[in-house]
Amino acid sequence: MDSFEPDGTGARDGNGAPDSLPPPPPVIPPDFVPTRVEEQEPAKKKVVRVPISRRGLGSRGQRISLLTNHFKVNVTNVEGHFYHYSVSVSYEDGRPVDGKGAGRKVIDRVQETYNAELDGKDFAYDGEKSLFTVGPLPRNKLEFTVVLEDISSNRNNGNASPDAHGSPNGNDRKRLRRPYRSKTFKVEISFAAKIPIQAIANALRGQESENSQEAFRVLDIILRQHAAKQGCLLVRQSFFHNDPKNFADVGGGVLGCRGFHSSFRTTQGGLSLNIDVSTTMIIQPGPVVDFLIANQNVRDPFSIDWAKAKRTLKNLRIKTITSNQEYKITGLSEKLCKEQMFSLKQKNVKDDDGEVQELEITVYDYFVNNRNIDLRYSGDLPCINVGKPKRPTYIPLELCELVSLQRYTKALTNLQRASLVEKSRQKPQERMSVLSNALKLSKYDNEPMLRSCGISISTNFAQVEGRVLPAPRLKFGNGEDFSPRNGRWNFNNKKLVQPTKIERWAVVNFSARCDIRSLVRDLIKCGEMKGILIDQPFDVFEESPQFRRSSPVVRVEKMFDEIQSKLPGAPQFLLCLLPERKNSDLYGPWKRKNLADFGIVTQCMAPMRVNDQYLTNVLLKINAKLGGLNSLLAVEHSPSIPIVSKVPTIILGMDVSHGSPGHSDIPSIAAVVSSRHWPLISRYRAAVRTQSPKVEMIDSLFKKVSDTEDEGIIRELLLDFYTSSGKRKPEQIIIFRDGVSESQFNQVLNVELNQIIEACKFLDEKWSPKFAVIVAQKNHHTKFFQSGSPDNVPPGTVVDNKVCHPRNYDFYLCAHAGMIGTSRPTHYHVLFDEIGFSSDELQELVHSLSYVYQRSTTAISVVAPICYAHLAASQVGSFMKFEDLSETSSSQGGMTSAGPVPVPQLPRLQEKVCNSMFFC
């Protein structure tokens, strides 16, 4: 079948039958139809795919000797066993203890108090319900009782003091009954499982098992516990010390806190400890009032928005300057400190029945008169509440200080992010010395649990051999060829390879201050030099001052009313001038109006510092959006890309972007981009859909709505490939998937790939393209360094040995030139390959795909289809202000008591622009 029209009958049988028929009965009835059984067989034998193993190492490129931040680990006690025990900690009355950090203190006390009964064993405790030992405890079930005086968090190196004399509660029965004076805890430790340490050695030979995963979990728990004992903040496998030297202010009351990632990895070179610099965001410690002033960017405490402050402060931990006692903020007082009343029991004044009398008093009077504490400004501000809903406990604001190392989990603003990047970047040599020091300071050699496993860690960076792949040659206009140097090129005195012509266009100005006439003149002149012929604009539409204070949606509507009334027909292109860079709230509504409502290509710019380079970059984006091409690979032009140029091949880039941590109920956005116009690999189009919050697997690849209809993403992309590639179906489908961790590889192979195969079969039952699936990971912790050189590794550096997986098919590629900081290579995992690439062919294809990104004149750090998927998701995501739908910042991931919340759908793009590179 060579057309792409789905054949109703074939599709129905192939897809409907397995669902609708029961399994065949054991006795064959006389009217049984054999063909149905054949169709059902595959459905019963579900193939479970696992990641493929390595097919040999690559050999192309110039060899280069490198160092990496992996440190070799030796394990001598391979005969021993880890014993896993489950732990339950409860109060005397049987209530479970659920406070974070409380468990560690209790287990530490058990170990001190009952050392002899435990045979002097060391523990690796995860802080919750699991505890591990090397060798068994004396009995399979043990019960202990311990007493602890104070159980506030120990995350600030002893800042929390159990001595609370003179705290804001004094000895009054009022509010601050200290939550824990001394408490008795019951601890049960019961045997759960036995894990051979030998499993670690097996994993290094490529034999992974549940035992080996558990054994590595124990090793990582030992590292976490080691950091917890030093008073660190733990974020997964990253550890942050309470040292102001490591803090960098990024604005808004938020600090970047530098710490270290530390984890054990199985590699071809054996077991290694991977140590890297890590940064997390924390709340600025110190006076609460200073934090609020910085957070809200106001001048003084009297300008603070208290409703907002209440949301920001909830659940943060404070200590009072009068006592050092620690509390968790539950809210703010409804009234000001001078007006907020509470009942104070007067110990020495009793009524006629002998009951202690209560006196109604303001919080302010109590602290100033009863406690003799001078309050300078808190009287006219709300109090901090640290009590329970029915039993509030008020403390004046100026007596409260935020405890250090409290994570800030909301999304950073663009300014904060820029400041963080600038303050946390480190040159390669600096990073190496920081990591060497971190390893020395960690004192892992003294960790008793590691010693009992016979683990020793080398102090030298592991040596690996890399190869530098040559940059692919590029084609520009006028038949010119060029070889990029150091991963870069430019268009000085060069024409674009396929320039467009811009005829019907206009300028729209949303109150940006600039000289529009000279901007247009320079743009036309710059375009001419690159081969783009730009006519004079039809008009310049200036925003009417009366709408400047309106909402973004209204401003865009009014502007479009103006455009429609003046323009004779739909423009080919609109250039939009925005008043501020990066974070203009006009951007989303403007893009939606153009792309979804009218199908007009548009380019936004904030004309701050306009020069020739800036205009060239803007023109590269405009040319790509209008269907032109800026540069091509020479092998694409000839076409001579190994394997890809031989038979029709589609390349997909897939990514899911999630709402920021502060908005857990915002829909996730799935984007898939696909190559078009085979044999090119430089042109793409995108399909974008919303899905349930925080769901990483794309659920709309295949969406069968009837026997003949599929509304999924893949069908849309395949039909476009077919029409744009001379009515050819792809015989090979190469999938690049971003943003999934090792634990999700099997889902990519068995859920997403199955959906894609179903979408293909639904189009044509007899069509069986071959697949390759490659995952790209950026957030890992492996870095490479050139020994004896201050520079980053050269662009094109590939590593597929030593620090790579002992069995699986993976490699690291640093395609880009790291100009600032330390380059982060992309870690590619080849999960599946029916196409039959050699290691060299695949590495060269991935390298080439870092040179086809139309927006820039540099090689980029990850393949272009994945970058485009990011861009498409964020641009279409900006159409809808999901934050406005998000009422709470901690909803249960899109669930309500009534069940899942329906996910709002994104508007579809107009036909005129849906196949364009609108995301460029």
Side-chain angles (χ1 to χ4, degrees), residues 708-777:
T708 55
E709 280 178 285
D710 161 20
E711 288 183 351
I713 289 176
I714 295 300
R715 177 193 178 92
E716 182 184 322
L717 301 178
L718 289 173
L719 289 173
D720 172 70
F721 180 89
Y722 181 73
T723 51
S724 71
S725 304
K727 303 230 162 166
R728 293 186 188 88
K729 289 179 213 162
E731 290 176 37
Q732 298 172 156
I733 299 180
I734 302 171
I735 299 161
F736 286 98
R737 178 67 162 93
D738 187 35
V740 290
S741 61
E742 273 93 335
S743 61
Q744 296 166 315
F745 286 178
N746 286 343
Q747 281 178 282
V748 171
L749 283 176
N750 295 295
V751 179
E752 290 187 339
L753 182 55
N754 276 359
Q755 279 195 52
I756 294 170
I757 291 169
E758 277 191 81
C760 295
K761 291 286 178 209
F762 195 76
L763 273 169
D764 178 352
E765 191 72 28
K766 302 187 192 67
W767 172 45
S768 296
K770 291 180 173 165
F771 288 90
V773 180
I774 299 136
V775 167
Q777 287 179 335

Side-chain angles (χ1 to χ4, degrees), residues 463-482:
Q463 287 192 307
V464 294
E465 191 171 83
R467 290 170 289 112
V468 182
L469 302 177
R473 283 185 73 72
L474 298 179
K475 271 260 181 261
F476 298 140
N478 297 344
E480 220 181 316
D481 267 26
F482 184 77

Side-chain angles (χ1 to χ4, degrees), residues 511-798:
S511 311
R513 286 201 198 96
C514 77
D515 178 351
I516 295 179
R517 281 179 61 175
S518 60
L519 174 69
V520 168
R521 185 190 64 231
D522 293 347
L523 189 72
I524 291 173
K525 193 167 114 208
C526 188
E528 197 180 333
M529 291 168 72
K530 308 288 173 274
I532 302 175
L533 294 177
I534 308 175
D535 290 352
Q536 285 296 327
F538 179 85
D539 205 344
V540 173
F541 295 97
E542 293 277 2
E543 181 175 38
S544 164
Q546 70 193 77
F547 300 127
R548 271 180 210 173
R549 300 246 177 281
S550 308
S551 74
V553 173
V554 168
R555 291 173 72 182
V556 167
E557 290 284 350
K558 296 293 181 196
M559 184 62 88
F560 255 89
D561 290 348
E562 174 84 353
I563 293 169
Q564 280 180 291
S565 68
K566 298 255 179 78
L567 284 186
Q572 179 194 6
F573 168 70
L574 288 176
L575 180 67
C576 172
L577 308 182
L578 294 174
E580 62 263 304
R581 284 183 67 219
K582 296 288 184 204
N583 50 0
S584 172
D585 49 10
L586 288 161
Y587 180 85
W590 173 256
K591 287 287 184 185
R592 176 177 182 156
K593 197 80 182 153
N594 279 273
L595 297 171
D597 296 359
F598 287 95
I600 299 169
V601 172
T602 174
Q603 175 62 49
C604 294
M605 62 186 279
M608 303 292 177
R609 290 184 296 277
V610 177
N611 55 25
D612 197 49
Q613 184 59 59
Y614 180 88
L615 290 175
T616 300
N617 290 345
V618 168
L619 282 165
L620 293 180
K621 287 156 65 74
I622 294 171
N623 191 52
K625 288 175 181 181
L626 288 171
L629 272 176
N630 302 329
S631 60
L632 274 176
L633 301 174
V635 286
E636 210 178 349
H637 185 259
S638 45
S640 56
I641 306 167
I643 297 184
V644 173
S645 297
K646 289 202 174 82
V647 297
T649 303
I650 188 171
I651 297 174
L652 304 180
M654 308 191 348
D655 180 45
V656 177
S657 59
H658 305 289
S660 61
H663 293 283
S664 56
D665 47 0
I666 289 176
S668 292
I669 296 178
V672 185
V673 304
S674 60
S675 60
R676 50 205 309 266
H677 289 273
W678 178 82
L680 295 185
I681 58 169
S682 287
R683 281 190 197 278
Y684 292 84
R685 57 99 74 203
V688 186
R689 306 275 196 280
T690 45
Q691 57 187 40
S692 300
K694 300 282 177 276
V695 172
E696 184 52 58
M697 290 300 121
I698 300 178
D699 65 9
S700 48
L701 296 168
F702 174 60
K703 247 191 171 151
K704 186 176 162 189
V705 287
S706 76
D707 286 347
T708 55
E709 280 178 285
D710 161 20
E711 288 183 351
I713 289 176
I714 295 300
R715 177 193 178 92
E716 182 184 322
L717 301 178
L718 289 173
L719 289 173
D720 172 70
F721 180 89
Y722 181 73
T723 51
S724 71
S725 304
K727 303 230 162 166
R728 293 186 188 88
K729 289 179 213 162
E731 290 176 37
Q732 298 172 156
I733 299 180
I734 302 171
I735 299 161
F736 286 98
R737 178 67 162 93
D738 187 35
V740 290
S741 61
E742 273 93 335
S743 61
Q744 296 166 315
F745 286 178
N746 286 343
Q747 281 178 282
V748 171
L749 283 176
N750 295 295
V751 179
E752 290 187 339
L753 182 55
N754 276 359
Q755 279 195 52
I756 294 170
I757 291 169
E758 277 191 81
C760 295
K761 291 286 178 209
F762 195 76
L763 273 169
D764 178 352
E765 191 72 28
K766 302 187 192 67
W767 172 45
S768 296
K770 291 180 173 165
F771 288 90
V773 180
I774 299 136
V775 167
Q777 287 179 335
K778 285 292 297 255
N779 58 355
H780 56 82
H781 287 278
T782 296
K783 303 282 194 301
F784 297 111
F785 306 91
Q786 294 194 65
S787 46
S789 162
D791 297 329
N792 271 307
V793 297
T797 299
V798 64

Side-chain angles (χ1 to χ4, degrees), residues 94-161:
R95 282 179 304 128
V97 171
D98 51 7
K100 268 195 178 164
R104 286 192 194 277
K105 288 194 161 186
V106 174
I107 295 299
D108 284 350
R109 180 57 58 89
V110 166
Q111 219 170 346
E112 288 162 26
T113 315
Y114 299 99
N115 196 29
E117 290 89 329
L118 295 164
D119 282 0
K121 279 265 181 241
D122 290 304
F123 293 167
Y125 175 52
D126 72 352
E128 293 181 9
K129 295 193 163 50
S130 290
L131 180 148
F132 300 87
T133 57
V134 177
L137 292 172
R139 293 201 307 283
N140 277 350
K141 185 155 188 184
L142 295 154
E143 295 189 6
F144 302 106
T145 305
V146 290
V147 177
L148 251 74
E149 294 72 47
D150 171 53
I151 197 172
S152 59
S153 159
N154 63 341
R155 202 183 282 155
N156 33 346
N157 289 346
N159 290 351
S161 134

Side-chain angles (χ1 to χ4, degrees), residues 792-851:
N792 271 307
V793 297
T797 299
V798 64
V799 173
D800 59 3
N801 62 71
K802 205 79 176 275
V803 287
C804 291
H805 195 278
R807 171 199 169 272
N808 296 355
Y809 186 177
D810 65 332
F811 61 91
Y812 292 92
L813 173 65
C814 204
H816 64 299
M819 306 309 282
I820 43 181
T822 305
S823 294
R824 180 191 298 227
T826 300
H827 192 182
Y828 291 98
H829 301 259
V830 186
L831 303 188
F832 193 69
D833 177 18
E834 298 174 311
I835 296 171
F837 285 99
S838 70
S839 291
D840 280 322
E841 285 167 341
L842 193 60
Q843 287 168 12
E844 292 215 314
L845 174 66
V846 169
H847 187 223
S848 295
L849 283 169
S850 305
Y851 279 81

Side-chain angles (χ1 to χ4, degrees), residues 240-250 255-258 282-285 404-405 423:
F240 303 91
H241 286 271
N242 185 20
D243 181 351
K245 278 206 308 288
N246 298 335
F247 302 163
D249 188 348
V250 299
L255 308 181
C257 175
R258 199 171 76 192
I282 61 169
I283 299 272
Q284 169 186 311
S404 192
L405 294 187
K423 289 176 177 173

